[in-house]
Amino acid sequence: MTKEVWLKTFKDALQKMPRREASKAVAFYREMIEDKIDAGACEDEVIAKLGNPSDVAKKILEENGIRVKSRDTEKASKEELDKLYQSRFPLWVTLTLGFFGVIVGLPIVIVWFALLVSFFACFVSLMVGAFACCLASLVAVVLGLVGTVGNGWAYFGACIAGAGVCMMLTVMFGVLAKLMIKATAFAVKRIATEG
Amino acid sequence: MDTQLKRGLLDVCVLSVLSRGESYGYKIITDLLLYIEVSESTLYPILKKLEQNRSVTTRTAEHNGRLRKYYMITDMGRQRIKEFLVDMEEFLKVHEFIKRGGDLL
């Protein structure tokens, strides 16, 4: 490895540091290498003695409180975590839980969702129907189709009342749905944290 | 030497080298070589720390067509040496005590 390659690798490894600090470190090592070569040492020897530029950089980063995760430690910590999980929950527990989760949980979720959708559809269609009736009765009033004019107005009034009730129910249902979703989320969270 | 002990000593060693006059990285290492071995990766954080706690100031000057950073001791740095010597006096008393095998005089 030449001096320039070493310094380039070193600089790249310091990327997590503020640029000013990194270039200070690079300048320090450049000066050191060049002074040693000026003093009569051979470039290869100087570079070899400095060691791996990534290791030197890692040390500096750590002194600056920047945690460096090499691939090895990352892998190790993942393995440790896996081991921890496995010691707390043997594989069969995890698998059984997963199995029951899918068998029991999925239908519940589907039914829950279907219930929500159908409720919503019911109320919305009722409301639409009520408004349609209102409109129809108005048309009937205008055209004088429903017996006397008074009957048409009564019909219209009843329809408007129906539409109003449906609107209220829709709003109530909206609130109810929200509560149901919140309750589900809360329950899932509790189960997840306690598990 | 114990690394913990060495670390504490090195700060003052570097300051002592600088108390004779300004110096630069490579020269500091070679000046200290007779007494204590310092690698560049050990020296770098020491110089950085001394600069941060204002025990030294720096200037960059051209040398042989390249840049070199010179370090100079400050009054605060000299004060640190003095404090170290006082602490060392205390330390030596304990050292004597340990050497005597814990015998009181």
Side-chain angles (χ1 to χ4, degrees):
Chain A
M1 199 190 289
T2 65
K3 174 184 87 183
E4 292 306 327
V5 172
W6 194 96
L7 287 168
K8 172 83 171 60
T9 318
F10 179 60
K11 192 182 166 189
D12 289 346
L14 287 175
Q15 263 178 0
K16 276 188 182 168
M17 247 183 147
R19 196 176 288 176
R20 227 173 74 102
E21 288 299 315
S23 53
K24 267 187 187 177
V26 173
F28 177 85
Y29 275 92
R30 176 181 290 281
E31 185 195 311
M32 198 60 81
I33 295 167
E34 284 168 353
D35 273 334
K36 282 185 177 179
I37 293 170
D38 280 5
C42 138
E43 185 173 327
D44 289 343
E45 228 172 77
V46 172
I47 296 303
K49 226 177 165 186
L50 280 177
N52 186 343
S54 311
D55 290 343
V56 178
K58 194 179 157 195
K59 201 177 156 198
I60 291 178
L61 287 172
E62 277 168 356
E63 269 155 7
N64 281 274
I66 299 166
R67 272 190 64 189
V68 193
K69 264 196 179 175
S70 75
R71 264 180 216 142
D72 287 346
T73 53
E74 218 167 281
K75 207 177 149 197
S77 63
K78 200 175 171 287
E79 272 169 10
E80 247 168 55
L81 205 67
D82 282 348
K83 247 186 222 163
L84 189 73
Y85 272 128
Q86 274 166 23
S87 67
R88 283 188 67 183
F89 309 108
L91 193 63
W92 66 268
V93 172
T94 317
L95 281 180
T96 319
L97 273 178
F99 183 71
F100 278 106
V102 173
I103 293 290
V104 178
L106 205 64
I108 288 179
V109 169
I110 290 171
V111 168
W112 197 248
F113 192 72
L115 222 65
L116 286 178
V117 171
S118 50
F119 265 131
F120 201 67
C122 269
F123 287 117
V124 169
S125 55
L126 271 174
M127 202 169 71
V128 170
F131 274 111
C133 288
C134 289
L135 207 68
S137 60
L138 265 187
V139 171
V141 166
V142 172
L143 297 177
L145 286 179
V146 188
T148 56
V149 174
N151 283 351
W153 279 117
Y155 186 41
F156 176 66
C159 287
I160 270 214
V165 169
C166 283
M167 256 170 93
M168 264 164 62
L169 284 173
T170 310
V171 171
M172 261 172 64
F173 172 74
V175 175
L176 196 72
K178 241 187 209 169
L179 279 175
M180 275 159 85
I181 289 167
K182 266 189 188 165
T184 314
F186 179 73
V188 168
K189 240 189 224 167
R190 274 296 285 273
I191 291 165
T193 49
E194 268 169 32
Chain B
M1 201 188 290
D2 180 59
T3 43
Q4 198 82 18
L5 193 62
K6 195 173 165 182
R7 261 197 113 98
L9 278 175
L10 278 175
D11 292 18
V12 195
C13 285
V14 171
L15 285 174
S16 295
V17 168
L18 296 177
S19 66
R20 284 188 305 151
E22 65 171 19
S23 190
Y24 52 92
Y26 178 66
K27 182 123 200 324
I28 295 173
I29 289 180
T30 47
D31 280 356
L32 280 175
L33 208 61
L34 267 179
Y35 297 96
I36 196 163
E37 199 178 336
V38 199
S39 67
E40 40 285 295
S41 63
T42 314
L43 184 65
Y44 181 71
I46 291 172
L47 285 172
K48 200 179 154 192
K49 199 171 88 186
L50 290 175
E51 202 180 334
Q52 272 169 356
N53 64 28
R54 295 197 204 131
S55 298
V56 302
T57 53
T58 62
R59 72 180 179 93
T60 305
E62 212 187 286
H63 170 83
N64 276 353
R66 57 187 173 84
L67 292 177
R68 196 187 251 169
K69 197 171 177 182
Y70 290 90
Y71 299 83
M72 292 148 282
I73 193 166
T74 62
D75 286 344
M76 213 178 269
R78 284 179 217 284
Q79 185 61 35
R80 258 171 231 278
I81 295 179
K82 273 185 203 158
E83 280 165 15
F84 172 80
L85 290 175
V86 172
D87 284 349
M88 249 349 199
E89 291 287 327
E90 297 273 313
F91 195 85
L92 280 176
K93 277 185 204 161
V94 180
H95 175 248
E96 283 299 315
F97 173 69
I98 295 169
K99 246 174 113 176
R100 284 198 306 271
D103 281 345
L104 299 171
L105 275 179

